[in-house]
Amino acid sequence: MNKGIALTGIKPTGTPHIGNYFGAIKPAIELTKEYDARYFIADYHALNSIKDPQKINDLAYEVAATWLACGLDPDKALVYRQSQVPQTFDLSTILLAFTSKGLMNRAHAYKAMVQSNKELNRDPDDGVNMGLFTYPVLMAADILLFDSDVVPVGKDQAQHLEMTIDIAQSINHIYKKDVLKIPKPLIRKSTQTIIGMDGRKMSKSYNNTIPLFLPPKKLRKLIMKIVTNSQTIEEVKDPDKCNVFALYKLFATDEQQEALRKMYLAGGMGWGHAKNELFEVMNELIFPMREKYNKLMENKDYIAKVLDEGSEKAREIASKKIEYVKNILGF
Ligand code: ADP
Ligand code: TRP
């Protein structure tokens, strides 16, 4: 029996962080056991905000190296660059003709920009390019082009998945045929929103990230800056209302969590101690992946080869799908 298809993408807009790891990368890699996986660098999505060719290219390599360092096996999963699969843009143009402007008006990222412009007394569309406005359509093309069954993502992408399903269903309805496969989002409850240094969602856009592969000294320094309250060492502390403990839970075993929880509740423990415990567990889990990442980043030719080979295979699959779709539309 054919395996189902799992697909996800990460934009090269910044150095991958632990939110990306737990929200998307780790679950996606686990899925490769049961699914045919297609994981890509969403570089056309990044173009909306990055216009520096060197930067966008460097970040694309960082994201690819992160996938590989975290355990993605390019012999078992397709790893490719969106920009090297032009059929994506064919399908994206097609989907635009079936997407109402009203649907795009409701997209969170666009709405947030308009809202912030209004608050600053600017023109509502200030700084909004059409790439940002039609972002969910390009994402729908990424997903629908590969007949994806499941899409592992963090909770922030749920609306984009709903829009993808909406667009696909309207096409299937118009042509009275299953032209496009309806995908399912895969959003794990326990890791759907990883918090950042300040307790808000960890995101490049909030500048509150903990990069996945920081060298140990820098990682320790950053952890020491996680926002905590001003309780004294003696005071009893609530682990369930603490940014440090929330992050600790991602890395520690049940026994380790229980031990630290007891220390919070007993009083006499300072934030420095909790942060140190967090550094230890985090560094231990990340260490082997960081070693691999650093080696990969010294061998960009290898990364380029993986991406080129993956992109070639992706184009083969994509061109069949686009032929099929165009045929149905009358082209
Ligand atoms: P960012 O918000 O930092 O720009 P991206 O949009 O590039 O991150 O996210 C890439 C993937 O990582 C997406 O699937 C997204 O849902 C997931 N992700 C990003 N931040 C988090 C987070 N804080 N918690 C859980 N998943 C996240
Ligand atoms: N929009 C996603 C993000 O901001 C990245 C992305 C682009 C994606 N295309 C995708 C995720 C297709 C899953 C499937 O993180």
Side-chain angles (χ1 to χ4, degrees), residues 57 102 177 198 217:
N57 204 43
K177 208 174 165 76
D198 54 1
K217 266 195 187 151

Side-chain angles (χ1 to χ4, degrees), residues 30-143:
E30 283 166 12
L31 286 177
T32 59
K33 290 184 206 123
E34 286 170 55
Y35 287 84
D36 271 337
R38 279 124 208 218
Y39 298 149
F40 67 97
I41 322 294
D43 45 5
Y44 264 44
H45 277 106
L47 188 61
N48 292 327
S49 54
I50 301 187
K51 266 78 177 180
D52 174 341
Q54 184 69 43
K55 192 171 173 199
I56 212 164
N57 204 43
D58 287 349
L59 286 169
Y61 277 88
E62 279 190 33
V63 174
T66 301
W67 274 116
L68 300 172
C70 292
L72 189 66
D73 177 351
D75 291 329
K76 295 208 180 107
L78 274 192
V79 193
Y80 59 93
R81 270 179 94 148
Q82 182 189 37
S83 57
Q84 291 185 22
V85 184
Q87 291 82 358
T88 308
F89 316 114
D90 246 332
L91 185 59
S92 184
T93 304
I94 291 171
L95 299 185
L96 281 170
F98 296 85
T99 305
S100 69
K101 177 169 175 286
L103 187 70
M104 294 299 97
N105 285 342
R106 291 196 286 279
H108 294 322
Y110 168 67
K111 265 173 74 177
M113 280 281 273
V114 170
Q115 185 59 30
S116 115
N117 281 334
K118 280 189 185 153
E119 280 160 15
L120 296 166
N121 267 332
R122 292 192 186 134
D123 182 281
D125 283 332
D126 208 30
V128 178
N129 60 45
M130 287 305 286
L132 173 75
F133 186 63
T134 60
Y135 186 104
V137 178
L138 180 55
M139 180 159 160
D142 294 329
I143 296 170

Side-chain angles (χ1 to χ4, degrees), residues 8-13 17-25 135 152-157 191-196 200-205 209:
T8 199
I10 295 190
K11 287 175 296 184
T13 46
H17 53 76
I18 65 169
N20 300 141
Y21 177 69
F22 285 104
I25 299 174
Y135 186 104
V153 281
K155 194 176 166 213
D156 58 342
Q157 298 301 312
T191 51
Q192 61 181 10
T193 310
I194 306 300
I195 60 143
R200 292 188 295 168
K201 178 205 163 215
M202 184 177 293
S203 171
K204 287 166 253 174
S205 347
T209 67

Side-chain angles (χ1 to χ4, degrees), residues 80 172 256:
Y80 59 93
N172 290 353
Q256 287 171 321

